[in-house]
Amino acid sequence: MLFRLLVLSIVIGEVLGEYKNYDGFKILEVNFENPRVKKYVQEFDKNLGFMPDFLGENWKKKQAHYFINKDSVEKVKTNLVANNITYQMRDVNPQIFKVRRRRDLNGAITINDINNRYLSYDEQMQFLNSISQQYPNDVKLQKLGNSFEGRSITAVRIGDDGSNKPIVWIDAGIHAREWISYNVALYLIYTIVSQPAYRDLLNSVQLVVVPNTNPDGYEFSRTVDRMWRKTRSRFTNSRCGGADANRNYPFFWGTQGVSHSQCSEVYCGARPQSEPEVLALTNAIQREETRIKGYIALHSYGQEILYPWGHTQRTYPSDVEDLIKVGRAMASAIQAVNNTEYNVVNSGDGLYPAAGASDDWAKSRGIKYSYTIELSPIDDYIGFSLPEDRINQVCREAFQAIQVLMIEVKSKFGIKHSTSSVSSPSAQSSLLLKRMRTTANRGFGRGK
Ligand SMILES: *[C@@H]1O[C@H](CO)[C@@H](O)[C@H](O)[C@H]1NC(C)=O
Ligand SMILES: *[C@@H]1O[C@H](CO)[C@@H](O)[C@H](O)[C@H]1NC(C)=O
Ligand SMILES: [Zn+2]
């Protein structure tokens, strides 16, 4: 404990340097509604001779967003004009690159911190430690392995009573710059253990949450390079480090939507599971894969619920209707909070398929309900830098979606021995799910 306090005070005292400078970089926005334009951006690699950093897309406006290196701006513009592509290019939001102010931390990390700001990895771990001390019967911390730089990949097991209950597995932040995902995972842990209303659900379903699957990358994004996405592996004789851990899973590894070049943002690694973070996660999941019935990887941004397969296009698992149905119930639960719309769509049928992603791999291991959720926002200007005053709403929305998945897993695979009171939140979501089943494709509208 003393050691921890000592380490903590050093961390707090640390003075952060400047972020990596992105002056002159641009955000490129292209509307791809026109099939000719869609084909052009899908073949960006061929058209430009390199693949620009794809940030995300706005499914409502059918816009794709890319981060353009300042040395490539002129070349990209020339190519777009030559191909008669209408586009917008804008400066990046300077807010993103402001050095994060440090709070004067004198006490424990509380749910208020989770709701209001982005935490350091050490703060996240401190929060987990205090939760596990506060709820020793409900929360167990499990070390899955170490990151490349030696940080612990920690899983939080909730409602693990040694029984054979089905498991819903949630992991967050494999892409370092997608900061909101970490807060969503921590909020989930806190809320589900601290509110008695979820007892009943936890009696039937166990939850495993890995709130930070890429701690090295996250710390690097927080303190050095805000746009960092990959792990922090170093390679000999290379000027670039890190691999895209979400292209490093051992299922159709290295085939589509990846790069084998170490400097690429979507570098898939030298081989499947080359990244220690991915190895730790896959090993842990495989140890209990027959019990895991739900899997969600939390990412940002774009407000989408993605279902497999993602490694190629127009290819779906045989039970895809079930995945869509539950995906839509999750989207409705989100919308019921404050009318935020999430799109339920196949992972591979967007602009770019991506092989070696965790949701595909989880599905390939037999985990029935496997998804990737792209959290808020939907627009590129804010993108990965969701303002801190919007953290709480995104957490509350995602919580509802995860609860819907847990309830579905409970009703399909759960040990049935409990009764729920009609007014409990889980009963309400259960009702929502039932209604979704009967209203199929119709929109749900605002919740009550
Ligand atoms: C360029 O695109 C515009 C709008 O998409 C279209 O009206 C025009 O015909 C195109 N011109 C050429 C030369 O393809
Ligand atoms: C709901 O969303 C609106 C914007 O659409 C926002 O202004 C408002 O603060 C949100 N309400 C809550 C309770 O989060
Ligand atoms: Zn991501």
Side-chain angles (χ1 to χ4, degrees):
M1 191 60 195
L2 189 62
F3 177 70
R4 176 161 295 132
L5 283 176
L6 204 63
V7 170
L8 190 70
S9 64
I10 291 166
V11 170
I12 292 164
E14 177 185 74
V15 178
L16 298 178
E18 292 287 314
Y19 266 141
K20 178 174 173 180
N21 187 310
Y22 280 112
D23 286 352
F25 281 60
K26 300 280 181 188
I27 304 244
L28 168 68
E29 195 175 273
V30 181
N31 183 304
F32 59 85
E33 206 153 12
N34 176 332
R36 186 182 68 84
V37 178
K38 187 171 177 184
K39 188 167 185 320
Y40 171 85
V41 299
Q42 285 178 323
E43 294 176 351
F44 239 144
D45 203 5
K46 217 171 71 191
N47 289 312
L48 290 172
F50 68 95
M51 179 65 197
D53 182 7
F54 175 63
L55 299 176
E57 60 191 279
N58 180 329
W59 56 268
K60 286 188 189 172
K61 295 183 180 166
K62 292 220 182 301
Q63 286 168 343
H65 313 138
Y66 305 86
F67 195 51
I68 308 294
N69 187 308
K70 67 172 186 297
D71 301 324
S72 308
V73 169
E74 284 314 313
K75 181 181 181 175
V76 171
K77 279 185 182 169
T78 307
N79 196 276
L80 289 160
V81 171
N83 284 279
N84 192 25
I85 305 289
T86 311
Y87 69 91
Q88 293 216 30
M89 242 192 219
R90 56 168 82 133
D91 294 334
V92 292
N93 181 353
Q95 290 298 113
I96 297 179
F97 302 109
K98 274 208 323 216
V99 174
R100 302 211 67 78
R101 59 192 185 282
R102 306 290 297 176
R103 268 101 172 152
D104 209 11
L105 293 179
N106 289 310
I109 306 291
T110 68
I111 187 62
N112 277 333
D113 296 293
I114 310 293
N115 278 326
N116 291 300
R117 66 186 183 89
Y118 298 108
L119 309 181
S120 70
Y121 169 76
D122 288 325
E123 290 171 341
Q124 294 171 351
M125 291 304 116
Q126 196 200 333
F127 183 71
L128 296 187
N129 282 325
S130 73
I131 291 281
S132 70
Q133 281 160 20
Q134 211 177 332
Y135 302 95
N137 296 326
D138 304 317
V139 178
K140 293 188 178 74
L141 303 188
Q142 177 190 16
K143 179 172 174 162
L144 306 184
N146 278 327
S147 67
F148 185 87
E149 292 176 348
R151 294 183 179 88
S152 173
I153 312 285
T154 302
V156 182
R157 305 183 69 86
I158 302 168
D160 181 357
D161 54 11
S163 76
N164 243 4
K165 287 186 288 200
I167 294 172
V168 169
W169 183 291
I170 310 289
D171 62 41
I174 196 90
H175 288 147
R177 62 196 181 186
E178 301 167 5
W179 290 3
I180 181 61
S181 60
Y182 305 103
N183 291 62
V184 164
L186 295 168
Y187 176 94
L188 164 68
I189 293 163
Y190 174 83
T191 305
I192 208 141
V193 298
S194 67
Q195 295 190 13
Y198 305 112
R199 279 293 101 198
D200 188 47
L201 189 52
L202 288 172
N203 281 336
S204 312
V205 183
Q206 191 189 319
L207 188 63
V208 180
V209 186
V210 189
N212 193 333
T213 54
N214 182 7
D216 299 352
Y218 179 55
E219 283 304 290
F220 196 70
S221 168
R222 237 175 40 78
T223 59
V224 180
D225 180 353
R226 179 64 186 87
M227 294 299 280
W228 192 259
R229 164 183 169 97
K230 300 189 284 182
T231 63
R232 291 293 298 153
S233 306
R234 304 323 182 261
F235 314 117
T236 44
N237 303 322
S238 175
R239 69 192 162 87
C240 299
D244 183 342
N246 206 38
R247 302 288 184 277
N248 193 238
Y249 281 71
F251 183 67
F252 284 90
W253 174 85
T255 54
Q256 284 196 65
V258 306
S259 169
H260 292 273
S261 151
Q262 289 170 334
C263 292
S264 166
E265 292 298 341
V266 289
Y267 173 53
C268 58
R271 58 182 185 282
Q273 292 155 303
S274 60
E275 302 314 287
E277 296 83 1
V278 172
L279 189 62
L281 289 161
T282 50
N283 282 342
I285 287 176
Q286 276 184 264
R287 276 198 296 271
E288 51 192 357
E289 64 188 8
T290 57
R291 285 177 57 202
I292 306 175
K293 303 301 177 189
Y295 172 88
I296 296 176
L298 296 169
H299 287 246
S300 74
Y301 59 87
Q303 291 173 200
E304 291 194 295
I305 297 173
L306 307 172
Y307 58 85
W309 304 108
H311 63 88
T312 186
Q313 294 186 304
R314 290 176 294 279
T315 308
Y316 316 102
S318 57
D319 60 351
V320 65
E321 289 307 323
D322 295 346
L323 287 165
I324 293 171
K325 206 163 55 190
V326 173
R328 287 193 180 138
M330 290 196 280
S332 296
I334 289 172
Q335 189 166 6
V337 174
N338 192 21
N339 213 26
T340 306
E341 291 174 78
Y342 275 59
N343 193 26
V344 181
V345 68
N346 171 262
S347 236
D349 290 353
L351 284 177
Y352 305 103
S358 67
D359 53 353
D360 262 22
W361 177 80
K363 183 64 183 164
S364 80
R365 300 306 307 178
I367 297 171
K368 183 173 174 72
Y369 294 109
S370 175
Y371 301 92
T372 291
I373 297 187
E374 299 283 359
L375 297 159
S376 291
I378 191 168
D379 57 323
D380 60 322
Y381 190 67
I382 291 167
F384 306 118
S385 260
L386 184 86
E388 290 177 329
D389 62 10
R390 288 176 58 185
I391 291 174
N392 175 250
Q393 183 178 328
V394 180
C395 289
R396 285 185 287 117
E397 290 169 343
F399 181 85
Q400 292 305 316
I402 292 163
Q403 195 191 162
V404 163
L405 178 59
M406 291 179 73
I407 289 164
E408 175 66 16
V409 165
K410 172 185 169 174
S411 78
K412 259 213 169 71
F413 305 100
I415 302 161
K416 296 176 183 71
H417 57 57
S418 48
T419 53
S420 60
S421 83
V422 200
S423 60
S424 78
S426 55
Q428 282 165 20
S429 282
S430 193
L431 223 59
L432 185 67
L433 198 67
K434 278 196 195 111
R435 219 174 309 162
M436 277 307 293
R437 288 206 183 94
T438 51
T439 59
N441 290 351
R442 281 199 292 118
F444 184 74
R446 282 202 96 117
K448 291 171 191 101

